[in-house]
Amino acid sequence: MSSSSVPAPFESVDEVSQALQDAGYLASEEISTTVYLAAALGRPILVEGPAGVGKTALAAALSQALDQRLVRLQCYEGVDEARALYEWNHAKQLLRITAEQGSEWDELRTDIFGEEFLLPRPLLTAVRSEQPVVLLIDEVDKADEEMEGLLLELLSEFQVTIPELGTLRANHRPLVVLTSNATRELSEALRRRCLFLHIDYPSAELEQRIVQSHVPELPDALAASVVRVVGALRALELRKAPSVAETVDWAGTLLSLGATELDPATVRRTLGVILKHNSDIELAHKKLELDRDLAG
């Protein structure tokens, strides 16, 4: 297969920002610029940052903005070629071998290692897709280092090699997003093949815009209070800091409760929406000066 050349999907950084916003993702200028360059240069994006800042959501928004299928490989410890790239349908092969008893092995081997018996996994699915796709390789830092070697050929040439079938090149160069929570150091070889983007928790101004885009009925003052308290919580030494999605959830919760202001009592009884460990809730009760933080 040969990778086809197609025009870049975006004509400017501003177009990226608008397309992502239309897909429900409010991007910083740095994010929009990196996406624009990745699309223009045909380079993967390695997105690092703490959990819950919108790394995976960026790939989903790109899929929606480009009207392309999202193909996702969720990485975890022990993920291997059979889970990431392809494997053979052994049950179907065994049935064919049983049905063809008496045949010469060389002839049979060629038969059972054909396309009919191939089970594509996410990476091969992206390569063989007849239409452009967005490929998300999620939490690549959770995979073993050996997995990175498998990715190098794909990210360099957008091709994969199957010994029985040869080298398969992508019909269309996918837009690839790799995410990492930086739980381990990734190899320089992998980093070299990617554009790098670090996403941290958004500024208070941007997070308030995100909240109001998802919960537009929430009063401005209440949205500002929500963001201010979440920022104070993230400054504590928590087991799990509130994600942006949890900020939005909390805003929706307050709206459902009919809250008109974020008073200390309301915060204390709804902390379970944004904090998911009892030790974090206890620390918040102990350390957070709610009266001061709510007053701004």
Side-chain angles (χ1 to χ4, degrees):
M1 301 181 188
S2 61
S3 180
S4 62
S5 177
V6 295
F10 302 110
E11 294 185 357
S12 67
V13 173
D14 288 342
E15 185 179 339
V16 173
S17 298
Q18 188 60 56
L20 290 175
Q21 182 173 328
D22 292 344
Y25 190 99
L26 297 183
S28 67
E29 185 173 358
E30 181 183 8
I31 292 173
S32 296
T33 301
T34 304
V35 168
Y36 171 75
L37 292 174
L41 300 175
R43 297 284 297 278
I45 310 172
L46 172 59
V47 189
E48 280 191 349
V53 294
K55 302 186 297 295
T56 300
L58 174 60
L62 279 171
S63 171
Q64 183 177 337
L66 295 170
D67 193 24
Q68 294 179 5
R69 177 186 175 190
L70 178 65
V71 178
R72 179 178 182 177
L73 170 61
Q74 177 62 55
C75 295
Y76 53 88
E77 185 177 354
V79 66
D80 58 10
E81 183 177 275
R83 297 289 180 266
L85 185 55
Y86 74 95
E87 63 179 330
W88 295 104
N89 189 331
H90 300 302
K92 194 171 182 180
Q93 287 174 323
L94 183 59
L95 287 173
R96 177 61 62 87
I97 292 171
T98 302
E100 299 291 338
Q101 286 183 352
S103 299
E104 293 292 332
W105 169 244
D106 287 343
E107 178 183 343
L108 187 58
R109 180 177 58 184
T110 302
D111 185 30
I112 65 173
F113 287 105
E115 292 274 354
E116 178 185 355
F117 300 91
L118 190 66
L119 296 175
R121 300 309 184 196
L123 298 183
L124 184 57
T125 296
V127 167
R128 300 177 78 199
S129 175
E130 295 297 330
Q131 301 296 328
V133 299
V134 175
L135 173 60
L136 169 61
I137 303 173
D138 213 6
E139 298 184 306
V140 67
D141 54 317
K142 289 186 177 179
D144 301 328
E145 293 182 12
E146 291 76 8
M147 183 65 191
E148 292 186 32
L150 179 63
L151 294 175
L152 295 182
E153 181 184 18
L154 175 72
L155 299 181
S156 296
E157 304 294 337
F158 290 94
Q159 65 182 29
V160 295
T161 301
I162 300 175
E164 297 84 358
L165 298 178
T167 299
L168 307 179
R169 292 185 60 83
N171 288 316
H172 304 277
R173 183 176 287 257
L175 180 56
V176 183
V177 177
L178 302 94
T179 74
S180 169
N181 295 330
T183 59
R184 72 170 177 86
E185 188 65 29
L186 300 176
S187 71
E188 289 302 322
L190 182 65
R191 290 180 177 276
R192 190 165 57 247
R193 286 161 172 78
C194 304
L195 301 182
F196 179 75
L197 174 64
H198 181 81
I199 300 182
D200 208 336
Y201 294 110
S203 66
E205 178 185 1
L206 179 56
E207 189 160 21
Q208 184 172 340
R209 287 177 56 208
I210 293 170
V211 168
Q212 292 178 309
S213 71
H214 287 277
V215 192
E217 302 87 352
L218 198 71
D220 291 352
L222 185 52
S225 295
V226 165
V227 170
R228 188 160 51 245
V229 172
V230 168
L233 288 169
R234 289 177 183 149
L236 301 178
E237 294 184 2
L238 302 174
R239 286 183 60 184
K240 170 63 175 68
S243 68
V244 177
E246 286 163 342
T247 305
V248 173
D249 288 344
W250 196 28
T253 297
L254 296 171
L255 187 66
S256 297
L257 292 174
T260 57
E261 61 179 0
L262 198 56
D263 58 89
T266 300
V267 172
R268 290 189 176 95
R269 65 191 176 96
T270 58
L271 276 177
V273 176
I274 49 176
L275 300 179
K276 305 305 170 66
H277 297 279
N278 189 55
S279 59
D280 287 348
I281 293 175
E282 290 179 349
L283 181 64
H285 286 162
K286 180 180 179 181
K287 296 289 188 179
L288 197 63
E289 298 180 30
L290 292 174
D291 293 318
R292 181 200 65 191
D293 290 312
L294 294 175

